[in-house]
Amino acid sequence: MSRATLQKDPKDVAAMFDETAAKYDLMNDVMSLGQTRLWRRAVVRAIDPQPGERILDIAAGPGSSSIPLRQAGAQVASADFSLGMLRQGLKQSPQLHFTAADATRLPFADASFDVVTMSFGFRNVVEPDVALREFLRVTRPGGRLLICEFSQPTNRIFRTVYSEYLMAAFPPVARRLSSNPESYVYLAESIQSWPAQQPLAERIAAAGWGEVEWSNLTGGVVALHRATKAS
């Protein structure tokens, strides 16, 4: 079994997601107690995709995050660095346009997109600051960034319960449902080690993005960070 570490070697992370691709959406629904779909709808509302807009969906996996953007009439490039995820995406959603892409070395021209979005994949990037600069490069002036990622619950008591749930519940549930349960131990650890809302906002601003703000979902379990590229 493949199990990435918090050093996030890209080959290890990609191999781990290759092995979880077939049940990726199911596991997300189970492990989030059904909240994943609500979070994804919040992402679509925040993006507010318009017909003809060019949107880059990074870490698109099998395409669940891309489908509603395309249904709204946007031109969506669904990118992922896991070939297993891309193969699963071609099976599940052949109507989408999938591209193999590393977030730190995107195969797209400057100013190619109106919106760059990444849901639940940013914490797996080995060099997130490099990725943020790449996102900026491929976004047109005046274009937008939206990152949806696990964060830190704002209530201290809830934060403790949530943290204990992650480490206690992930492994036994994963062993029942996943072909690679060790990957979900890594995912739980990566969530716990990820920076809170304010530090992440500061990193986004440091990469050159403006108008950085965030909103919390489910009490801060997930945060939506939004930013704009200067015109």
Side-chain angles (χ1 to χ4, degrees):
M1 291 184 182
S2 171
R3 188 225 195 268
T5 70
L6 293 180
Q7 279 67 50
K8 302 175 187 176
D9 180 277
K11 292 181 180 178
D12 290 343
V13 176
M16 182 190 74
F17 280 108
D18 288 347
E19 293 185 14
T20 61
K23 292 186 176 181
Y24 180 73
D25 287 334
L26 170 64
M27 286 296 298
N28 283 344
D29 282 342
V30 172
M31 301 308 292
S32 69
L33 302 179
Q35 294 297 298
T36 301
R37 299 185 187 194
L38 298 176
W39 296 335
R40 290 199 186 283
R41 284 199 285 270
V43 169
V44 176
R45 288 196 299 271
I47 293 174
D48 188 24
Q50 300 299 309
E53 273 193 322
R54 298 164 296 169
I55 299 178
L56 174 59
D57 185 13
I58 308 280
S64 302
S65 56
S66 299
I67 289 173
L69 304 176
R70 187 176 188 275
Q71 289 174 336
Q75 301 174 24
V76 185
S78 304
D80 205 291
F81 77 149
S82 163
L83 297 182
M85 285 290 186
L86 295 174
R87 284 191 289 268
Q88 185 65 26
L90 290 171
K91 291 179 184 178
Q92 288 184 203
S93 307
Q95 73 273 30
L96 295 176
H97 300 288
F98 289 96
T99 301
D102 183 333
T104 64
R105 295 189 300 275
L106 294 173
F108 303 106
D110 295 357
S112 295
F113 298 98
D114 300 296
V115 180
V116 174
T117 182
M118 190 175 199
S119 294
F120 306 112
F122 194 49
R123 72 185 188 284
N124 298 314
V125 177
V126 64
E127 295 179 293
D129 297 320
V130 175
L132 287 169
R133 292 193 292 272
E134 271 292 271
F135 298 167
L136 188 71
R137 179 184 66 78
V138 301
T139 302
R140 67 164 177 80
R144 297 171 289 137
L145 172 71
L146 188 134
I147 294 176
C148 176
E149 189 53 89
F150 288 103
S151 197
Q152 299 295 325
T154 54
N155 180 278
R156 182 178 59 82
I157 295 175
F158 177 46
R159 186 164 58 245
T160 300
V161 172
Y162 169 71
S163 178
E164 291 178 354
Y165 159 77
L166 271 178
M167 296 311 296
F170 266 38
V173 174
R175 278 192 289 271
R176 286 180 174 271
L177 297 178
S178 176
S179 60
N180 185 7
E182 286 299 306
S183 65
Y184 286 87
V185 177
Y186 157 78
L187 291 174
E189 293 172 349
S190 69
I191 291 169
Q192 288 188 313
S193 67
W194 189 243
Q197 291 87 330
Q198 181 67 42
L200 180 55
E202 291 171 358
R203 294 180 78 163
I204 294 171
W209 292 92
E211 302 178 29
V212 182
E213 59 182 8
W214 75 85
S215 56
N216 291 318
L217 304 177
T218 318
V221 170
V222 166
L224 300 181
H225 280 76
R226 297 179 292 276
T228 304
K229 182 174 180 177
S231 300

